[in-house]
Amino acid sequence: LSQHVKLEDVARLAGVSAKTVSRVVNGEANVSESTKQAVDRAISALGYKPNLAARSLAASRSFLIGIISPTVDNFYSYFHALHNGAIRACRERGLHLVAEEMDFDTRGSLQRLEGSLRQMRYDGVIVTHPANKNKHVLDLLEHMKIRYVRIGPVSDLHRSDSVSPDETQGLQQLAEHLVSLGHRHIAIAYVEARRRNLLRDSLVKAGADLRHLQFVSLSAAQDPITAGRELASGILALPQRPTAVFTYADDAAAGLIGYAWEHGLNIPRDLSVVGYDDGQVAQAVWPPLTTIREPLDEMARAAVSLLLDPAKDGNARRIVLPVKFIVRSSTAVPSR
Amino acid sequence: LSQHVKLEDVARLAGVSAKTVSRVVNGEANVSESTKQAVDRAISALGYKPNLAARSLAASRSFLIGIISPTVDNFYSYFHALHNGAIRACRERGLHLVAEEMDFDTRGSLQRLEGSLRQMRYDGVIVTHPANKNKHVLDLLEHMKIRYVRIGPVSDLHRSDSVSPDETQGLQQLAEHLVSLGHRHIAIAYVEARRRNLLRDSLVKAGADLRHLQFVSLSAAQDPITAGRELASGILALPQRPTAVFTYADDAAAGLIGYAWEHGLNIPRDLSVVGYDDGQVAQAVWPPLTTIREPLDEMARAAVSLLLDPAKDGNARRIVLPVKFIVRSSTAVPSR
DNA sequence: ATGAAAGCGCTAACAT
DNA sequence: ATGTTAGCGCTTTCAT
């Protein structure tokens, strides 16, 4: 595939003038069916996508829609928070952020992304979960020679610049918090083995007895609230009920807490609960959640920085930002 | 103010070449302090902003950063949902969405917006709350002759195209739901008088006795969760406690529910609760909230449509989309 | 129905 | 330190 296919290239292949190609691209009338087809064939053969900048300049329209909305700082969700941070970082540098939404289920989403990248010619691209783990997306970006930064926990660090949360310290603080409150029987509900292992090791380091820890694996596909309720039901049925539970997401913790109230338990008196994310839900439930917050705003800013000042050597750079452990009233001294 | 100030205009006023102006704009070295100042003066005198498209084309960089994130459908917040809808609607039409974040507190935010609008040359702009009620923003857009659509409830309908939720039907369903369950003493906690009045009238129409309704005004400035807790505390202290409460936001309902559990009340047995938004929080709390959902995705799509096909006559158009009333278990037959 | 030429507003490369 | 020239890739306008 060639790097930058132009209108002219298409015109040459189709054996028509550039203007005719332009007519086809813009769906103007006055094009015979036969030439239209010839042009369409040439376009898809070359993978042509019009250059947005050139188009905008000539047609004096931008093909961009703006949306004016307020800065929302508190109570946000993961992706929204990343977007906010990136928008601000861009603005400070005279850039703008464009969201490329991808549904990974749909066939053709990768192709659509490629088309979009072709025409937008981004200065750089930030890749979040789950695209940051998607081989096809990363391959595509590299093939198109587009600078990109992955955001979130990633393996193969050499592959590109990345910005990740560092959970070790936060999880250690959490472990010490629970142990110092007197918790011994602690349940860990996890989706990723990585985080389970980190927390397990932190708890042991904080003095917990490995034999008293319980691990419950949960599917990422499941709705977190339902998962939290099922988790609660499982825990309440246990002969030796833990006094504290860590869940992999605030939503799951919320489901757990709801189930507990419903069944006459009092949180945190009967069960301490720890969430993850510090999203909107963390403060909406009662009691508000002890949780862990990723520095999403700073992570997004760091990603923009990496994108904008190129590495001196060719090596992939990595920025690691510590998560923040937040104590609220969903954890307390166990009653037993 | 002139419509489209160009580099050349600045150059002429400053008495230098276009290239020199370009150097100043791009912060290149090799510009004497005196000419730099002269150029800067000319730039601000003319209100010059470089044309993004021209710049991109010449420099072969877009000044745009892309961010690839997944489609998130469930559990979203108001602005995020609007953005999602607009992003998709744009994509379907070969456009892209750029977020212009505005913090209305800061001085200079309007100027920044103006600069951004100048250089982006949006095909159209979607204006959400609270900017949709901001005279300065609307004046600016009109003065710059930029097509815009307001989204959300607006007055002065003649002023521009708009897309609004229609709450009457949804609130009527809510009113009938409560009355049919047997609720008579109902509290309405509101921020906007408009919505309070709508609900009041709906309740009366559904057969409620106006004398049994209680109205509690809340400040929009207050954190909704705290507001909900205070609301709960006020309601519990009442001699004649209502059997149902409507709150203006799910967050406030969440605060209310938390306070209730904490003080030994059972929701919905002792008190039915109704929220508004159907955001992430609505399903995270226990019991999940009976609430009202604005069709944010459709509203955003409608806004993009209005932007793209111009009105035949010059009249402002208005699209009204009904909200959806959603029954969950936070409302039930009163126990008394 | 199709083509040729000019130019959108800026920056790159090369002057001086 | 500053100016000149030639494009960037498309659409417009005007031919044919």
Side-chain angles (χ1 to χ4, degrees), chain B:
Chain B
L1 314 191
S2 46
Q3 198 63 347
H4 286 318
V5 183
K6 308 194 286 186
L7 204 52
E8 202 192 321
D9 303 327
V10 176
R12 199 175 307 125
L13 180 62
V16 297
S17 74
K19 178 61 205 173
T20 300
V21 177
S22 168
R23 285 194 178 98
V24 172
V25 168
N26 294 298
E28 289 172 29
N30 295 342
V31 184
S32 77
E33 190 55 30
S34 59
T35 56
K36 174 172 164 24
Q37 286 182 8
V39 170
D40 279 335
R41 231 175 298 121
I43 286 177
S44 52
L46 296 172
Y48 170 74
K49 277 282 172 181
N51 176 323
L52 214 214
R55 242 181 148 183
S56 305
L57 185 56
S60 39
R61 50 171 298 209
S62 64
F63 300 91
L64 259 27
I65 296 285
I67 184 163
I68 302 176
S69 27
T71 308
V72 183
D73 264 316
N74 301 322
F75 307 134
Y76 45 39
S77 64
Y78 185 84
F79 296 109
H80 201 185
L82 284 182
H83 282 212
N84 277 346
I87 287 169
R88 279 175 233 166
C90 284
R91 191 174 65 186
E92 285 162 15
R93 293 155 179 273
L95 304 177
H96 284 265
L97 187 81
V98 177
E100 290 286 348
E101 222 189 31
M102 235 187 133
D103 43 352
F104 292 84
D105 309 328
T106 313
R107 214 44 243 135
S109 65
L110 198 72
Q111 248 187 332
R112 238 198 331 264
L113 178 65
E114 179 173 358
S116 217
L117 295 175
R118 276 253 175 79
Q119 75 174 202
M120 300 302 284
R121 314 268 163 105
Y122 293 115
D123 290 0
V125 171
I126 299 170
V127 189
T128 74
H129 170 86
N132 59 9
K133 290 159 199 75
N134 187 305
K135 184 184 174 343
H136 302 298
V137 172
L138 304 187
D139 284 348
L140 176 63
L141 289 164
E142 283 160 24
H143 178 245
M144 295 181 76
K145 303 195 190 311
I146 298 175
R147 295 180 61 81
Y148 72 94
V149 171
R150 287 171 294 164
I151 208 162
V154 291
S155 47
D156 57 348
L157 298 172
H158 68 281
R159 190 159 186 182
S160 76
D161 290 349
S162 60
V163 181
S164 309
D166 175 13
E167 304 180 73
T168 49
Q169 208 181 321
L171 289 178
Q172 190 62 51
Q173 288 174 23
L174 163 57
E176 271 151 27
H177 172 70
L178 290 180
V179 169
S180 75
L181 288 176
H183 292 282
R184 294 298 171 261
H185 293 83
I186 300 170
I188 300 173
Y190 65 98
V191 168
E192 293 170 275
R194 187 184 52 78
R195 194 177 291 157
R196 176 202 58 193
N197 294 345
L198 275 174
L199 182 53
R200 179 197 58 202
D201 297 346
S202 301
L203 282 166
V204 170
K205 197 168 154 196
D209 185 337
L210 186 55
R211 290 166 303 181
H212 291 162
L213 302 183
Q214 292 178 324
F215 301 94
V216 187
S217 162
L218 294 167
S219 148
Q222 200 179 14
D223 151 41
I225 294 175
T226 310
R229 291 183 59 80
E230 288 176 6
L231 176 63
S233 119
I235 283 176
L236 295 200
L238 248 33
Q240 169 72 291
R241 189 205 295 163
T243 60
V245 196
F246 168 85
T247 59
Y248 65 101
D250 289 341
D251 295 318
L256 196 160
I257 289 182
Y259 188 96
W261 282 115
E262 194 187 1
H263 289 77
L265 266 72
N266 180 299
I267 310 288
R269 195 194 61 207
D270 303 321
L271 188 65
S272 283
V273 178
V274 180
Y276 194 98
D277 282 342
D278 193 32
Q280 191 174 189
V281 162
Q283 303 205 50
V285 295
W286 186 264
L289 290 171
T290 291
T291 188
I292 284 180
R293 171 181 211 140
E294 297 190 6
L296 299 174
D297 192 81
E298 292 87 334
M299 285 165 66
R301 303 186 102 79
V304 173
S305 297
L306 285 177
L307 245 21
L308 262 40
D309 43 77
K312 296 284 169 274
D313 48 8
N315 296 336
R317 292 165 298 174
R318 186 184 183 209
I319 294 183
V320 175
L321 268 7
V323 301
K324 191 171 167 192
F325 173 55
I326 297 169
V327 179
R328 297 209 185 90
S329 41
S330 71
T331 45
V333 174
S335 61
R336 274 172 286 160

Side-chain angles (χ1 to χ4, degrees), chain A:
Chain A
L1 316 190
S2 47
Q3 198 63 348
H4 287 319
V5 182
K6 309 195 286 188
L7 204 53
E8 201 192 322
D9 302 327
V10 176
R12 200 174 306 126
L13 180 61
V16 296
S17 75
K19 177 58 206 173
T20 300
V21 177
S22 169
R23 285 195 179 97
V24 172
V25 168
N26 293 299
E28 289 172 29
N30 294 342
V31 183
S32 76
E33 190 56 31
S34 58
T35 57
K36 176 172 163 22
Q37 286 183 6
V39 170
D40 278 337
R41 229 174 301 122
I43 286 177
S44 53
L46 296 172
Y48 169 73
K49 277 281 171 182
N51 176 323
L52 214 213
R55 248 182 141 181
S56 306
L57 184 57
S60 40
R61 51 171 297 210
S62 64
F63 301 90
L64 259 27
I65 296 285
I67 184 164
I68 302 177
S69 29
T71 308
V72 183
D73 263 317
N74 301 322
F75 307 135
Y76 45 41
S77 64
Y78 184 83
F79 296 109
H80 201 185
L82 285 181
H83 282 212
N84 277 346
I87 287 169
R88 279 174 233 166
C90 284
R91 192 176 65 186
E92 285 163 16
R93 293 156 181 271
L95 305 177
H96 285 265
L97 187 81
V98 176
E100 291 286 350
E101 223 189 28
M102 236 187 132
D103 44 351
F104 292 85
D105 309 329
T106 312
R107 213 45 242 135
S109 65
L110 197 72
Q111 247 185 334
R112 237 196 334 262
L113 178 65
E114 178 172 357
S116 215
L117 294 175
R118 275 252 177 79
Q119 75 176 201
M120 300 302 285
R121 312 269 162 105
Y122 293 115
D123 289 0
V125 171
I126 299 170
V127 189
T128 74
H129 171 86
N132 59 10
K133 291 162 198 70
N134 186 305
K135 184 183 176 343
H136 302 298
V137 172
L138 304 187
D139 284 348
L140 176 63
L141 289 164
E142 283 161 23
H143 178 245
M144 294 181 77
K145 302 197 192 309
I146 298 176
R147 294 180 62 83
Y148 72 94
V149 171
R150 286 170 294 163
I151 209 162
V154 291
S155 45
D156 58 348
L157 298 172
H158 68 281
R159 189 158 186 184
S160 78
D161 290 349
S162 61
V163 181
S164 309
D166 175 11
E167 303 181 75
T168 49
Q169 209 181 320
L171 289 177
Q172 188 63 51
Q173 287 173 24
L174 162 56
E176 271 152 27
H177 172 70
L178 290 180
V179 169
S180 74
L181 288 175
H183 292 282
R184 295 297 171 261
H185 293 82
I186 300 170
I188 300 173
Y190 65 97
V191 168
E192 293 170 275
R194 188 185 51 77
R195 193 178 290 157
R196 175 201 60 194
N197 294 345
L198 276 173
L199 182 53
R200 178 196 59 202
D201 297 346
S202 301
L203 282 167
V204 170
K205 198 166 151 196
D209 185 336
L210 186 54
R211 288 165 305 180
H212 292 161
L213 302 183
Q214 292 177 324
F215 301 93
V216 188
S217 162
L218 295 166
S219 148
Q222 199 179 13
D223 151 40
I225 294 175
T226 310
R229 290 183 60 79
E230 287 175 7
L231 176 64
S233 121
I235 282 176
L236 295 200
L238 248 33
Q240 169 72 289
R241 188 205 295 164
T243 60
V245 195
F246 168 86
T247 59
Y248 65 100
D250 289 341
D251 294 319
L256 196 160
I257 289 182
Y259 188 96
W261 282 114
E262 194 187 1
H263 289 79
L265 266 73
N266 180 298
I267 309 289
R269 194 194 62 208
D270 303 321
L271 187 65
S272 284
V273 178
V274 180
Y276 194 96
D277 283 342
D278 194 32
Q280 191 174 190
V281 162
Q283 303 204 51
V285 295
W286 186 265
L289 289 171
T290 291
T291 188
I292 284 180
R293 170 180 213 141
E294 297 189 6
L296 299 174
D297 193 81
E298 291 87 334
M299 283 164 68
R301 304 187 102 79
V304 173
S305 297
L306 284 177
L307 245 22
L308 263 40
D309 41 76
K312 297 284 168 275
D313 49 8
N315 296 336
R317 292 165 298 173
R318 186 184 184 209
I319 294 183
V320 175
L321 267 8
V323 301
K324 191 170 166 194
F325 174 55
I326 297 169
V327 178
R328 297 209 185 89
S329 42
S330 71
T331 46
V333 174
S335 61
R336 273 172 287 163

